[in-house]
Amino acid sequence: MQVLRGNIVHAPALGELEALEHGFIVLDDDGTIVSVCPTLPEEYAALPVVDYGDSLVMQSFADMHLHAPQYPMLGMGMDLPLLEWLNTYTFVTEARFSDNDYARRIYKKLAADLIRNGTTRVVMFSSLHTDATLILMEELERAGVTGYVGKVNMDRNCEGLLETTEESKRETLRWLDACDRFKYVKPILTPRFTPACTDELMEWLGKLAEERGLYVQSHLSENQSEIAWVRELHPDCRQYWETYDKYGLWKDHTVMAHCVHSDARECAAMRDANVVVAHCAGSNINLCSGVSPIRKMLREGIWVTLGSDIAGGAALPMYRVATMSIRASKIKRIESSWREEFLTVPEGYYLATSSGHRYFGAKDGFAVGDKLHAIVVSDADFTEAARPLSVSERFERAMYMMSKDSIVSVWSEGRKVL
Amino acid sequence: MQVLRGNIVHAPALGELEALEHGFIVLDDDGTIVSVCPTLPEEYAALPVVDYGDSLVMQSFADMHLHAPQYPMLGMGMDLPLLEWLNTYTFVTEARFSDNDYARRIYKKLAADLIRNGTTRVVMFSSLHTDATLILMEELERAGVTGYVGKVNMDRNCEGLLETTEESKRETLRWLDACDRFKYVKPILTPRFTPACTDELMEWLGKLAEERGLYVQSHLSENQSEIAWVRELHPDCRQYWETYDKYGLWKDHTVMAHCVHSDARECAAMRDANVVVAHCAGSNINLCSGVSPIRKMLREGIWVTLGSDIAGGAALPMYRVATMSIRASKIKRIESSWREEFLTVPEGYYLATSSGHRYFGAKDGFAVGDKLHAIVVSDADFTEAARPLSVSERFERAMYMMSKDSIVSVWSEGRKVL
């Protein structure tokens, strides 16, 4: 057992922030949290202490939507709309991942950059390539990133990057068989989005999800032309989400990225099925898709999490994604003539941490019984404030100001990985 | 004389980008640009060459609106609206600058951080303190930051930080007298904003501006409650801008920050007087002020530049400000159902560089006869792309991805300052 000491800041509920100045986290042998306390109880007094001094000990981040093979094109093609951007940049970049050596180099860097930036849990798209997907899972596991990764299924409508329905099925099974060896990174079924998958493939994936008890991730209602396209492809479905529901892919823990244009009926379907929204504010603005009504969704009891959406999003760090989500909510406030509330900093932090960690079975905040997922942030290099700051104020400033250089240590699944 | 070699990328006009792969900039003894060329003419072949290899040589940035004494509160108080934020955080922080030692520490860091992030020209607010303002000017000049700095005038309506009208006049004159010693940093008259200045002070400042041929900076139409307040204070003025015009402060080269809610009439007044808009996208969103219709202003021939607006803005680097401005323009596109165009990356770059440099008498882009203001950006550490990139593509990626670590050299006023 051991004890971590520092200024502990966590989000035990949406909008709630608990700050313990020079507090303690007591860990079991396997990194499970035994106690979070302002002073160290007598019974733990003899344990070894990892002293983080005056640094902030914060929850690590969960990135609930990103495309690993788009990491090489970060910050590129930002002047194009979604469907053109997919055809000009994205599919060409992803096609490169048929080269295992290239995949190894890129994924090793991605995994390291995730940890350096404090992201310890992910729900991630790979490309359609089975081998590169396994390399990705290996590199994540090695670096200490945990979560779910999906080999992408796409058997129609994608220029220059396509598999046949038969290949898609066969490779999915080959991939799933090879996943047993991973301890911290698990497979998730990943139909790219409705326009990219034939009905036959969707049906097969739905059955597979049920048979093997697998989670599902995909995209939903990102922009208007995409929605119109889905309507053409599935005239029998009234709304986009029903094209997933029809094949058993709309279910508990299904992660749907974007949901920018989801109306009341689509939102109700999310809540009823316990579908998870991965809100990707930066990406939605970069591609002019729209601004998702997150605050409204939260009010309606929908499970909202955040995603960097690399490379529609141009920033991997989830602290940047969190502040961009706050800005997006402020846009909604402006648009509503200040009637709609914006996301506060503690709320943005909750969505970027607790709300995502729940996907993996964790409780909110630093909770007893959960494996520790934490980052240690040093703000010693930040500009000297005009007066002494409280731990909560320092936390708020850190959310806007931190960089990978401020993250001095990272804990993932109870293990110190940086 | 000397020669710089590298991948040169500059913005000779709004929306135009010139990229010279392994091109050359020839400099005179005093750092004046003599030639910008794809191959080195015979006559310069014997000159010493500073070889930046495969790095990008880009224009440096001009930050046309920021508050130096708010640097210590960067990223703080972001959950408050403008007027409350001013009273709770801003005035308290600025009041600290009565302490010259504190001012020295903070301004030394600010000046260094500006250069490290590639900002070589500024139009900047100090606080009301004369001594701290002179310290600020000293530190900027020492670090290589050039431009205009204003001792702030504020003699009413500011909680906890106020000067009498008499003090304001006397200190302004004392400050102006002391400014002669600076070579690269010049004074600019700075009534904080209409609500913070009595009519007597405004009138005096207007006369002073005329007598001494000084430029003016202030704030305009940032948010609705501010506009309503100005209307109450000046029932004789139909619009906010007229409260400046009335006293001779609305004139050629007057920099007006924000202009979020300026209507057609106010915009026409800007164009007619050659008033400069300092657009502060991040700040305007952070404080829920609104999103300024920049694209429309540009179409109408208004002079638009960009400002970080530290600390309403939470990012000092102008490359971050440029991409935030692009995002803000995309919000306008979304709001207009894709009828309004957004700012492209080359346009965002132009606004963050050339458009600002013009304020100081420079021509657009790297122009013959101008002193060199440049940054050298290494993208060697960026993730390996899926295919070889053109210089223009690398430039675009750099605008989204660069950090202070990628800026390996900075030239200001013809001198290498980093």
Side-chain angles (χ1 to χ4, degrees):
Chain A
M1 288 178 72
Q2 58 184 328
V3 176
L4 271 56
R5 185 176 174 279
N7 294 305
I8 296 161
V9 188
H10 63 140
L14 178 67
E16 248 179 64
L17 195 74
E18 188 173 73
L20 302 178
E21 196 175 345
H22 299 305
F24 299 86
I25 301 178
V26 182
L27 295 182
D28 223 333
D29 283 348
D30 64 350
T32 302
I33 299 172
V34 173
S35 174
V36 180
C37 39
T39 52
L40 194 63
E42 191 60 34
E43 57 187 302
Y44 304 125
L47 292 179
V49 175
V50 185
D51 192 345
Y52 288 118
D54 204 34
S55 291
L56 302 168
V57 179
M58 295 168 52
Q59 290 173 260
S60 69
F61 300 103
D63 189 343
M64 300 297 287
H65 182 68
L66 73 166
H67 294 264
Q70 294 175 21
Y71 197 47
M73 49 176 283
L74 204 63
M76 295 182 63
M78 295 281 97
D79 288 350
L80 299 175
L82 176 64
L83 300 176
E84 207 177 324
W85 175 83
L86 282 173
N87 289 322
T88 313
Y89 278 92
T90 314
F91 296 148
V92 182
T93 303
E94 291 197 12
R96 267 294 256 133
F97 287 79
S98 59
D99 174 347
N100 290 347
D101 293 337
Y102 183 74
R104 179 74 66 186
R105 290 198 301 278
I106 301 298
Y107 289 154
K108 196 184 279 295
K109 182 171 192 308
L110 172 62
D113 288 350
L114 282 165
I115 289 297
R116 266 187 218 120
N117 284 292
T119 300
T120 63
R121 276 174 166 145
V122 295
V123 176
M124 190 186 260
F125 277 54
S126 176
S127 58
L128 59 74
H129 311 94
T130 301
D131 293 336
T133 303
L134 293 168
I135 289 169
L136 171 59
M137 294 169 86
E138 252 171 56
E139 291 299 335
L140 292 176
E141 181 136 314
R142 187 171 300 162
V145 184
T146 67
Y148 294 90
V149 170
K151 172 227 170 308
V152 172
N153 299 100
M154 47 197 292
D155 67 344
R156 68 171 177 182
N157 288 327
C158 297
E159 276 176 39
L161 183 70
L162 216 53
E163 48 189 3
T164 64
T165 310
E166 220 37 65
E167 275 165 359
S168 192
K169 293 179 188 176
R170 189 183 64 233
E171 288 297 303
T172 301
L173 294 176
R174 179 164 83 85
W175 165 60
L176 288 174
D177 286 345
C179 284
D180 287 342
R181 63 182 140 131
F182 301 115
K183 185 167 173 200
Y184 297 109
V185 184
K186 301 289 170 197
I188 182 168
L189 292 186
T190 309
R192 185 165 200 125
F193 68 147
T194 298
C197 297
T198 59
D199 295 1
E200 183 188 339
L201 184 56
M202 292 281 263
E203 191 180 343
W204 184 82
L205 288 169
K207 281 190 187 139
L208 187 65
E210 198 187 352
E211 277 167 27
R212 305 213 183 179
L214 293 166
Y215 288 158
V216 174
Q217 64 177 342
S218 195
H219 295 94
L220 184 73
S221 299
E222 181 170 0
N223 88 16
Q224 301 287 12
S225 7
E226 174 211 17
I227 294 170
W229 193 13
V230 170
R231 200 172 295 131
E232 269 175 46
L233 293 167
H234 287 266
D236 55 317
C237 291
R238 201 166 136 198
Q239 289 193 301
Y240 196 162
W241 68 274
E242 289 165 90
T243 64
Y244 296 114
D245 190 42
K246 186 170 155 185
Y247 299 113
L249 297 162
W250 185 264
K251 62 192 187 78
D252 181 44
H253 277 72
T254 289
V255 178
M256 283 287 154
H258 307 307
C259 310
V260 174
H261 301 283
S262 300
D263 67 1
R265 186 167 172 274
E266 194 160 270
C267 284
M270 286 173 200
R271 193 190 41 233
D272 295 347
N274 205 30
V275 158
V276 185
V277 174
H279 172 49
C280 307
S283 168
N284 296 158
I285 297 172
N286 288 337
L287 299 175
C288 295
S289 303
V291 181
S292 186
I294 287 318
R295 169 57 73 187
K296 195 162 156 284
M297 287 180 177
L298 288 169
R299 228 174 13 240
E300 288 167 2
I302 291 168
W303 187 356
V304 178
T305 63
L306 305 184
S308 67
D309 193 26
I310 295 308
L316 185 70
M318 287 299 292
Y319 44 86
R320 297 266 295 272
V321 172
T323 53
M324 193 62 78
S325 307
I326 291 171
R327 288 193 186 93
S329 77
K330 288 178 174 180
I331 298 291
K332 284 290 180 200
R333 178 164 175 79
I334 292 165
E335 282 176 1
S336 70
S337 303
W338 289 31
R339 273 186 297 271
E340 187 61 276
E341 294 296 316
F342 56 81
L343 292 174
T344 62
V345 181
E347 285 171 337
Y349 177 58
Y350 177 88
L351 295 184
T353 58
S354 296
S355 194
H357 291 310
R358 277 171 52 202
Y359 191 82
F360 309 88
K363 296 178 283 297
D364 285 354
F366 288 129
V368 171
D370 286 347
K371 292 281 175 68
L372 183 68
H373 281 259
I375 58 174
V376 181
V377 177
S378 166
D379 57 3
D381 283 345
F382 294 3
T383 305
E384 178 190 345
R387 55 171 173 77
L389 302 180
S390 69
V391 171
S392 304
E393 285 176 317
R394 288 172 57 197
F395 150 79
E396 189 185 327
R397 184 177 62 165
M399 284 299 289
Y400 277 92
M401 300 294 299
M402 75 170 105
S403 71
K404 66 179 182 339
D405 299 335
S406 356
I407 299 178
V408 295
S409 186
V410 178
W411 290 69
S412 175
E413 209 58 31
R415 303 160 302 150
K416 186 173 179 308
V417 295
L418 182 82
Chain B
M1 289 179 72
Q2 59 183 328
V3 176
L4 270 56
R5 185 176 174 277
N7 294 306
I8 295 160
V9 187
H10 63 140
L14 179 66
E16 248 181 62
L17 195 75
E18 188 172 75
L20 302 177
E21 196 175 344
H22 298 304
F24 300 86
I25 300 177
V26 182
L27 295 182
D28 222 333
D29 284 347
D30 65 350
T32 302
I33 299 171
V34 173
S35 174
V36 180
C37 40
T39 53
L40 194 65
E42 191 60 35
E43 59 187 302
Y44 304 125
L47 292 180
V49 175
V50 185
D51 193 345
Y52 288 118
D54 203 34
S55 291
L56 303 168
V57 179
M58 296 169 52
Q59 291 173 259
S60 69
F61 299 104
D63 189 342
M64 300 297 286
H65 182 67
L66 72 166
H67 294 264
Q70 294 174 22
Y71 197 47
M73 48 176 281
L74 205 63
M76 296 181 63
M78 294 282 97
D79 288 350
L80 299 175
L82 176 64
L83 300 178
E84 207 177 325
W85 174 82
L86 282 173
N87 289 322
T88 313
Y89 279 93
T90 315
F91 296 147
V92 181
T93 304
E94 292 198 12
R96 266 294 256 136
F97 287 79
S98 60
D99 173 348
N100 291 347
D101 293 337
Y102 182 74
R104 180 74 67 186
R105 290 198 301 276
I106 300 299
Y107 289 155
K108 195 184 281 294
K109 183 170 193 307
L110 172 62
D113 288 350
L114 281 165
I115 289 298
R116 266 188 219 121
N117 284 292
T119 300
T120 63
R121 275 172 166 148
V122 295
V123 176
M124 188 185 261
F125 276 54
S126 176
S127 58
L128 59 73
H129 311 94
T130 301
D131 294 335
T133 304
L134 293 168
I135 289 169
L136 171 59
M137 295 171 85
E138 253 172 54
E139 292 299 334
L140 292 175
E141 181 136 315
R142 188 171 298 162
V145 183
T146 67
Y148 294 91
V149 170
K151 173 226 167 310
V152 172
N153 298 100
M154 47 198 290
D155 67 343
R156 66 169 177 183
N157 288 328
C158 297
E159 276 175 39
L161 183 69
L162 215 53
E163 48 188 4
T164 65
T165 310
E166 220 37 63
E167 275 166 357
S168 191
K169 293 179 186 176
R170 189 183 64 232
E171 288 298 302
T172 300
L173 295 175
R174 180 164 83 86
W175 164 60
L176 288 173
D177 287 346
C179 284
D180 287 341
R181 63 181 141 132
F182 301 115
K183 188 169 171 196
Y184 297 110
V185 184
K186 301 291 172 194
I188 183 168
L189 292 186
T190 309
R192 184 161 203 130
F193 70 146
T194 298
C197 298
T198 59
D199 296 1
E200 184 188 339
L201 183 57
M202 292 282 263
E203 191 180 344
W204 184 83
L205 288 169
K207 280 190 185 141
L208 187 66
E210 198 187 352
E211 278 166 27
R212 306 215 181 178
L214 293 166
Y215 288 157
V216 174
Q217 64 178 343
S218 195
H219 296 94
L220 185 72
S221 298
E222 182 171 358
N223 89 16
Q224 301 287 14
S225 8
E226 174 211 18
I227 294 170
W229 192 14
V230 170
R231 200 172 295 132
E232 268 174 48
L233 293 167
H234 287 266
D236 55 317
C237 291
R238 200 167 136 196
Q239 289 192 302
Y240 195 162
W241 68 274
E242 290 165 89
T243 63
Y244 297 113
D245 190 41
K246 186 170 155 186
Y247 299 112
L249 297 162
W250 185 261
K251 63 192 188 77
D252 180 44
H253 276 72
T254 289
V255 177
M256 282 288 154
H258 307 306
C259 309
V260 174
H261 301 282
S262 300
D263 67 1
R265 186 168 171 274
E266 194 161 88
C267 284
M270 285 174 199
R271 192 189 43 234
D272 295 348
N274 204 31
V275 158
V276 184
V277 173
H279 171 49
C280 308
S283 167
N284 296 159
I285 297 171
N286 287 339
L287 300 176
C288 296
S289 303
V291 182
S292 186
I294 287 318
R295 169 57 74 188
K296 193 162 158 283
M297 288 179 177
L298 288 169
R299 228 175 14 240
E300 288 168 1
I302 291 170
W303 186 355
V304 178
T305 63
L306 305 184
S308 67
D309 193 27
I310 295 310
L316 185 71
M318 287 300 292
Y319 44 87
R320 297 265 296 272
V321 172
T323 52
M324 193 61 77
S325 306
I326 291 171
R327 289 194 186 93
S329 76
K330 288 178 173 177
I331 297 290
K332 284 290 180 201
R333 179 164 174 78
I334 292 165
E335 282 176 1
S336 70
S337 304
W338 288 32
R339 274 187 297 270
E340 187 60 276
E341 294 297 316
F342 56 81
L343 292 175
T344 63
V345 182
E347 285 172 336
Y349 178 57
Y350 177 88
L351 295 184
T353 58
S354 297
S355 195
H357 291 310
R358 278 171 53 203
Y359 191 83
F360 309 87
K363 296 179 283 294
D364 284 353
F366 287 129
V368 171
D370 285 347
K371 293 281 176 67
L372 184 68
H373 281 260
I375 58 174
V376 181
V377 177
S378 166
D379 56 4
D381 283 345
F382 293 3
T383 305
E384 178 190 346
R387 56 170 174 75
L389 301 181
S390 69
V391 172
S392 304
E393 285 175 317
R394 289 172 55 196
F395 149 79
E396 189 186 327
R397 184 178 61 165
M399 284 299 288
Y400 277 92
M401 299 294 299
M402 75 171 104
S403 71
K404 66 178 183 339
D405 299 335
S406 357
I407 299 178
V408 295
S409 187
V410 177
W411 290 69
S412 175
E413 209 59 29
R415 303 159 300 148
K416 185 172 178 309
V417 295
L418 183 81

